Structure formats: C-alpha cells, structure tokens
Amino acid sequence: MSNYHIKHLEEYYQVYRKSVRNPEAFWEEIAEEHFVWRKRWDNVLSWDFKKPEIKWFEGAKLNITENCLDRHLPTRGDKTAIIFEPNNPKEEALHITYRQLHERVCRMANVLLDHGVKKGDRVCIYLPMIPELSVALLACARIGAIHSVVFAGFSSHALATRINDSDCKLVITSDGSFRGSKSIDLKVIVDKALEGCPGVANVLVVKRTGTKINMEPARDKWLQPLLDEAYADCVAEIMDAEDPLFILYTSGSTGTPKGMVHTTAGYMVYTAYTFKNVFQYREHDVYWCTADIGWITGHSYIVYGPLANGATTLMFEGVPSYPDFGRFWDVIEKHKVNQFYTAPTAIRALAKEKLEYLEKHDLSSLKVLGSVGEPINEEAWHWYNNNVGKKNSPIVDTWWQTETGGIMITPIPYVTPTTPTYATLPFIGIQPVLMNENAKEIKGNQVDGRLCIKFPWPSIARTIWGNHDRYRDTYFTAYENMYFTGDGALRDAVGYYRITGRVDDVIIVSGHNLGTAPIEDSINEHPAVAESAIVGFPHDVKGNALYGYVILKEVGESRDRENLRKEINQQITEHVGPIAKLDKIQFVTGLPKTRSGKIMRRILRKIASNDTSNLGDTSTLLNPEIVQEIIDNAL
Ligand code: 6R9
C-alpha cells in the first residue's frame, strides 16, 4: 500500500524518482496490489514512439467492471456508488449502492447481448447525465463492447459523423433531457442523425422527460421493460489488457474529429491511481466532478477512476444556474461533498454573480477543490480559493487531455504547495519535457517551450480509430521519440509547470513569444472585465500584433471605452510588459465557445485578421450566433 497514497512532499519526490527510474517495476507493483486480474501479464511494457505502438500489461486478462463493481460487493455492497442529483432540486436524489449498480449493469449488459452486441462491437451512447449513462458505459465494458459516448449537446450532424466513423451498430439514448428550465428532445436529434447512419440496427431509449417521441418499430425500443425482464447477473467477458475499452472523439485543429482509442488495463490502473492521489480520496468521502460524462473528464473521474476505488461519486444532471446561481453550493451542502472538481469557465461564470448565492450555504465539508479543462486565471483561482475553499481547501489545477486518459501535471493536495495558475509538478510516472522550435530539449528551470512527454504512461491513447497514420502524425512526428501535447508550458525556478495554452495560440510579437493565458489573466484582473480572449493578427513591423476581445462586467458598461482601453493596456504593461500591449480592443458580449467551454480562437483569429470569408465549421459552437455580432463590430 505504501505507494498507493502519497502523504507528504518528500514521499512524492521519493515515489516519483522510483517511478521514473524503473517505470516497469513501479507500475507492476501498483497493478499487482490494487486490482483483480483473471490472468497476470507476461510483460509490463513494450513501446516504440516511432511506429507508434504502446502496450501495457500485455498478456494480462481482466474485466474492468469486476474491478469497479464485483470486487467491492463483499465489503462495500451497501455503500453508495453513485449519488444522482436531478436537474430539478425538488425531485429526490438517488443513492445507488454498489450492489444495485452491479445489478443494473448486468441487466443492461444482458439487454445488449440480446440485441446481438458482441465483444469488439461499437455502441454509441447519447444520453444526458442520468444514472443510465454510467450504467451504459459499464454494461458495454462488461461484455467487451467498445463504447463511444457522444456528448448529448452535439447536433445530429456531429452525432452521425461519430456514429459512422466508428461503425456503431446500436445507439442508447433517451426521449429527452432536462437542462435548467428547458428540456431538449434528444430522440428527435437521434432520428435525424440516423437518417444518415445505415449501420445502426437498434436504438434503446431511456424514458426521462416523458415527451412524446417517434419510435421506429423495427429499430427502436424502450429500455426499461427490457431491463425489467433481463437476468440480473451477467458473466463478465474476459478481456486482454490491450483490448479497446472505449473511443472518445476530440476535435483536432483541422479536419474531422479524432476518435481516441483507450484500452483496458493501463487506463484502469492509471485513472484509479490518479483519482486516489489527486483527490486524496478517503473511504467515506463524497466526491463530485461537475463535468459531463460526454467528455474524458467524466469517463475517467466520474465513472472509472472513482468506481475502481470503491468511491461515492456524484452525478449532477443540471446546470450551475438553475434554479439559481447557488445550485452548485446547494448540492455541496446537501450531499456534504468532500472533493469538488470543476472547470475555470464555471468558476468565472459564478464569480460574476452575487456572493450571497454562495454565502448562504455551508461548504465546510469541502477538503479538495479541482480545476480542469483550460488554464485557470489568477482572479478565478483566488475567487475559488477565498470563497469556495475559504483558504482551507487546496486547489488542484490538473492538466491533462483526452489523449492522456488521466491527469498528468497536478498538485497533490496537502502535499504539493500550490501557486495560482500553476499545475505544478508531474504526477507519479510522468516525464514532461520542454522542447524548443529546433526540436531540442530545453533543460533547467525558468524556461518555456513546447510540452512533450518522453516516456509512455499506462493510460496514453493507443491510436485514432481507423487512422493510425493521423495518430502518428499528430502526436509523434513533431519531436522524435516524444509525445507532443500541442500545449506550451513554462517551468519556473522550483520546477513547477504552468501551462500557457495551445501552442497554436502562441503569438510571436516582435520576436517575443507571448502566451495568451498570462495576458488574458492580466486583462481579467481589471475590475470592469469579466472575460477576455486575445489573438494575433498580421502587423507590418512587429510581425504579429495583439487583438483583444473583452467582455465587460456590468460595472464596466457605463464606462468610457477609450479610457477602459487605456487602463487595460496599463494593466498588461504592469503584469506582462509593454510588449504584450494590445493594438486593438473590441468589447463583445460573448466569445465563441465549444461545448466544453473552450474559446474557439481560430474564429477570433480570422476576424482579427479581417478574413471572414471562410470561418470553417462553426456547428460545434455553443453560441454560434455570437460570431456575426463580433464580425459586425470588428475594429
Ligand atoms: C481534460 C481535458 C485538453 C486541453 C489541453 C490544454 C487544456 C486542460 C488544463 C488545460 C491549462 C489545465 N487544459 N486542462 N490547460 N491548465 N489544468 O480538458 O481534455 O478536452 O482533451 O482538452 O485542454 O490545452 O491540451 P481535453
């Protein structure tokens, strides 16, 4: 057990060194002590970043659901596995025990088998954040089917593209979903998508909203009656360590979405081990991650990581603003949440609201706060720390990616001293390096460069579904023998990492490398500013100049625009340097964002460059209408 739960900084360094000196021995020990295997591996690791080919625990046999469910039954059968908090706070929360979850998974697995789903088949899951979503993932894993979850906010076109890319033969969906005061008719979206998906033979439909829907007689069935009839036990399919567990699509900087493939054993070992340490999870804690299971954060840190540890994981169906902006704080108080994991975009949105929403709730159960998905700016970090954590709960700013499967750079709470905007130190077993433009490693501290990882870790994605060449070209050709993350980072004097943003967002102004994140941080610190995004645009003398898009808080609305522009540039000058001053500042009411809350800078760059002829695909935006507004008022 000694390696499983890091308790102080010295131990971190000790275990880290051990994990890097002999990764095979390190991960073998973790795998041996904390999981159940049907057969032991023959070889811990073989890898070749040139092909690229990575195999962990080759020869081992297992089923991940035996690790997430069956093995807990003797000791944790009556413990709550999932707390389901519905969209409407008046609807009762559900507490699903490990025994009940096991039964529900087995029943759904049997329904899938009855519909001809076999090991290796792909099943598309398009569901809101209801218990059936977690059950569906695990039911696929139970029988060795590969799940492909598509976030239930994607359009029918996006859904169809993903279904066809991986040839899914069955879709699990619901009649509709609740989101705040609204409901969305998901089945209508599925029906439309399936007009272009001839390979889908069956659709299983969860009843959630009760809206009237169309059912294609030969294709569609209500799920509940089938579950009621299904046998409550299901023998787990025995999988090879490297059998695919799931496909999850992530958008590339160009082209179609990439179906990242994660395999079984390594993914299980790494997500479980990181969950335990990054959240310092203890047996009776209640853990809540606000992500949607449609994203990697939900896969790894709502479902697999927590359940592999026998944890209690909360699933929230709703939105932070319903019935009011106090909902997150209400849920924390109601379920006495101990670990809370959310995204900077949510923190910034809530920080704009009155503090009373937060102050009326008892948040004293909190022990650890997490952040993921984008760099957290200094102002949001302090707001989170002061108001949510009351300076008593360490913030873990966790950097990782769909491709990495699990958290890669992060503080360990109560172990690693935190610094705002720094993801701090590599997690155990992770070997980050910074590279310069000439593909040379930048050694030492107080340097910045492109973030690569030079040694495989157990949960690295193994390929892109159906396109191994693209996998190689995207991640393994920029730097020889390295996984290239696409992010820039700096390493400070003590060796802490700060992620500065995608390198495609790095702007070189007069020969100086400027990351967007620190500049945006300093803009956001202006009391009148709610949020901002900067991009580069061509400039005669400097090569590139900076264009800022700024959303004002209400307090800024009545202010003189020219004065505000001066103050913002003064602020940047003070925080980053005069070189980072903005040539143009456009005040906007919103920024184009993807559904996972990331700013789509590609569009902003085009507008700033006065090149709006071909904005590319804007269909995945949360707020496509904002684009025209920004164009109309461009400077
Ligand atoms: C888990 C997830 C990955 C990209 C990544 C980076 C950004 C994620 C971050 C962060 C700064 C953090 N990112 N976490 N940037 N600090 N703590 O978000 O996966 O959706 O694939 O996004 O998100 O740019 O490369 P994914």
Side-chain angles (χ1 to χ4, degrees):
M1 278 303 261
S2 63
N3 285 337
Y4 201 64
H5 211 152
I6 313 290
K7 285 171 235 59
H8 47 83
L9 194 58
E10 225 155 280
E11 188 186 354
Y12 160 80
Y13 279 115
Q14 213 183 330
V15 177
Y16 180 78
R17 277 194 296 267
K18 185 173 155 186
S19 73
V20 170
R21 222 178 286 133
N22 191 343
E24 283 90 344
F26 176 80
W27 289 110
E28 174 157 60
E29 198 181 314
I30 299 288
E32 220 157 42
E33 285 183 24
H34 304 287
F35 301 91
V36 293
W37 305 90
R38 289 300 189 107
K39 178 187 167 285
R40 207 189 138 87
W41 47 91
D42 305 314
N43 188 26
V44 180
L45 170 66
S46 62
W47 64 291
D48 178 350
F49 274 174
K50 284 203 174 59
K51 282 185 182 170
E53 187 179 83
I54 304 133
K55 291 179 178 171
W56 281 92
F57 308 110
E58 211 180 344
K61 297 205 180 283
L62 74 155
N63 186 290
I64 195 168
T65 69
E66 291 191 329
N67 283 275
C68 289
L69 301 170
D70 303 60
R71 68 155 156 165
H72 302 313
L73 298 182
T75 51
R76 299 187 178 107
D78 297 320
K79 179 179 175 177
T80 300
I82 295 177
I83 298 174
F84 170 61
E85 172 68 25
N87 176 63
N88 182 349
K90 296 202 180 91
E91 192 183 323
E92 217 175 308
L94 287 179
H95 291 254
I96 304 168
T97 66
Y98 271 92
R99 202 180 319 285
Q100 291 165 335
L101 184 60
H102 178 267
E103 181 179 327
R104 289 176 73 155
V105 168
C106 285
R107 284 181 190 271
M108 199 182 292
N110 284 324
V111 170
L112 294 176
L113 289 172
D114 288 345
H115 285 78
V117 178
K118 300 180 306 295
K119 176 177 173 177
D121 288 346
R122 274 80 58 207
V123 171
C124 175
I125 302 172
Y126 187 74
L127 280 172
M129 282 286 285
I130 55 177
E132 285 81 357
L133 173 53
S134 295
V135 171
L137 267 67
L138 295 162
C140 288
R142 188 75 174 175
I143 62 171
I146 302 168
H147 56 75
S148 169
V149 181
V150 177
F151 172 61
F154 274 120
S155 65
S156 54
H157 174 76
L159 175 61
T161 308
R162 286 159 177 76
I163 288 173
N164 288 332
D165 183 75
S166 48
D167 292 317
C168 295
K169 66 190 285 191
L170 186 142
V171 177
I172 306 176
T173 188
S174 67
D175 50 357
S177 68
F178 293 120
R179 272 187 83 73
S181 55
K182 289 187 289 206
S183 66
I184 299 160
D185 293 337
L186 290 189
K187 182 61 165 52
V188 174
I189 298 170
V190 172
D191 287 343
K192 182 131 184 284
L194 294 189
E195 286 170 15
C197 303
V200 173
N202 291 105
V203 179
L204 302 176
V205 186
V206 178
K207 187 172 253 170
R208 177 58 183 142
T209 54
T211 44
K212 213 175 138 24
I213 57 166
N214 159 60
M215 294 290 267
E216 289 295 315
R219 188 191 72 189
D220 306 347
K221 287 179 189 155
W222 289 107
L223 186 58
Q224 195 56 51
L226 303 174
L227 293 172
D228 292 341
E229 282 164 28
Y231 192 54
D233 203 355
C234 174
V235 178
E237 182 79 33
I238 305 305
M239 307 297 286
D240 287 336
E242 284 296 340
D243 278 338
L245 175 63
F246 65 85
I247 299 166
L248 185 61
Y249 287 88
T250 184
S251 41
S253 31
T254 55
T256 55
K258 299 172 287 193
M260 304 313 306
V261 177
H262 282 284
T263 59
T264 306
Y267 177 81
M268 171 183 79
V269 168
Y270 194 76
T271 54
Y273 184 62
T274 46
F275 173 76
K276 182 83 177 170
N277 282 289
V278 173
F279 300 103
Q280 290 285 309
Y281 185 85
R282 308 277 159 163
E283 183 62 36
H284 299 292
D285 288 347
V286 172
Y287 161 88
W288 180 21
C289 166
T290 69
D292 193 289
I293 292 172
W295 310 116
I296 191 68
T297 304
H299 280 59
S300 301
Y301 299 111
I302 295 177
V303 182
Y304 289 111
L307 297 178
N309 281 285
T312 299
T313 174
L314 193 150
M315 278 181 79
F316 176 46
E317 184 185 28
V319 293
S321 55
Y322 180 80
D324 62 39
F325 286 96
R327 186 64 189 281
F328 274 5
W329 324 127
D330 179 50
V331 174
I332 290 171
E333 177 175 9
K334 178 174 171 189
H335 297 290
K336 301 198 169 45
V337 170
N338 301 112
Q339 291 91 0
F340 178 64
Y341 192 26
T342 194
T345 182
I347 298 167
R348 285 195 296 266
L350 294 170
K352 280 207 286 188
E353 302 301 325
K354 291 192 297 268
L355 216 47
E356 285 123 73
Y357 286 123
L358 190 146
E359 281 166 346
K360 38 175 212 237
H361 294 285
D362 175 7
L363 306 182
S364 61
S365 57
L366 290 171
K367 298 194 285 190
V368 176
L369 303 176
S371 172
V372 61
E374 53 180 319
I376 179 166
N377 53 299
E378 195 144 358
E379 198 183 14
W381 195 98
H382 285 298
W383 188 89
Y384 200 24
N385 187 41
N386 295 344
N387 298 299
V388 184
K390 322 283 184 210
K391 299 190 178 162
N392 262 328
S393 299
I395 296 175
V396 290
D397 177 359
T398 63
W399 173 84
W400 58 297
Q401 309 177 295
T402 304
E403 296 86 339
T404 70
I407 294 167
M408 302 287 282
I409 301 182
T410 179
I412 294 178
Y414 301 100
V415 169
T416 318
T418 57
T419 303
T421 75
Y422 281 78
T424 74
L425 296 170
F427 190 73
I428 310 298
I430 303 305
Q431 302 188 39
V433 287
L434 297 177
M435 304 295 290
N436 70 15
E437 261 101 287
N438 307 321
K440 288 242 153 44
E441 184 177 343
I442 310 166
K443 301 225 165 124
N445 287 349
Q446 284 188 302
V447 292
D448 64 85
R450 290 161 187 231
L451 181 62
C452 293
I453 315 288
K454 70 173 177 195
F455 195 88
W457 60 100
S459 65
I460 183 176
R462 305 298 198 257
T463 189
I464 291 174
W465 183 264
N467 199 344
H468 198 67
D469 287 350
R470 188 177 181 196
Y471 174 69
R472 187 192 54 230
D473 295 346
T474 310
Y475 304 107
F476 297 94
T477 51
Y479 303 99
E480 207 183 346
N481 277 323
M482 305 262 172
Y483 165 79
F484 174 46
T485 65
D487 281 317
L490 62 83
R491 191 164 50 222
D492 77 358
V494 295
Y496 277 13
Y497 287 88
R498 180 192 198 179
I499 311 303
T500 47
R502 305 290 306 183
V503 286
D504 22 32
D505 298 333
V506 165
I507 308 160
I508 303 185
V509 179
S510 303
H512 294 269
N513 251 3
L514 298 175
T516 52
I519 302 172
E520 286 164 4
D521 277 359
S522 61
I523 301 173
N524 296 349
E525 270 171 39
H526 189 288
V529 172
E531 196 174 1
S532 63
I534 58 160
V535 296
F537 71 99
H539 185 279
D540 288 352
V541 182
K542 306 177 190 176
N544 286 300
L546 298 178
Y547 192 118
Y549 298 87
V550 174
I551 306 177
L552 291 176
K553 287 183 189 156
E554 220 170 283
V555 291
E557 283 304 332
S558 57
R559 300 272 316 272
D560 175 72
R561 296 292 189 265
E562 266 328 299
N563 275 340
L564 274 175
R565 288 192 174 98
K566 280 196 194 115
E567 288 175 20
I568 287 170
N569 267 331
Q570 186 55 32
Q571 187 104 5
I572 296 173
T573 306
E574 279 165 26
H575 284 77
V576 189
I579 184 69
K581 276 206 289 198
L582 308 183
D583 277 32
K584 293 183 180 176
I585 299 178
Q586 179 181 351
F587 295 100
V588 296
T589 60
L591 294 165
K593 289 203 175 162
T594 66
R595 291 180 188 277
S596 56
K598 292 196 173 68
I599 299 166
M600 216 187 243
R601 288 169 205 278
R602 177 168 62 75
I603 292 172
L604 296 177
R605 263 196 298 270
K606 289 224 163 189
I607 300 174
S609 312
N610 205 5
D611 166 25
T612 50
S613 54
N614 177 18
L615 288 179
D617 184 14
T618 55
S619 67
T620 58
L621 286 178
L622 197 61
N623 52 348
E625 70 286 349
I626 200 72
V627 176
Q628 194 56 45
E629 189 189 293
I630 298 177
I631 293 174
D632 291 342
N633 298 305
L635 300 171

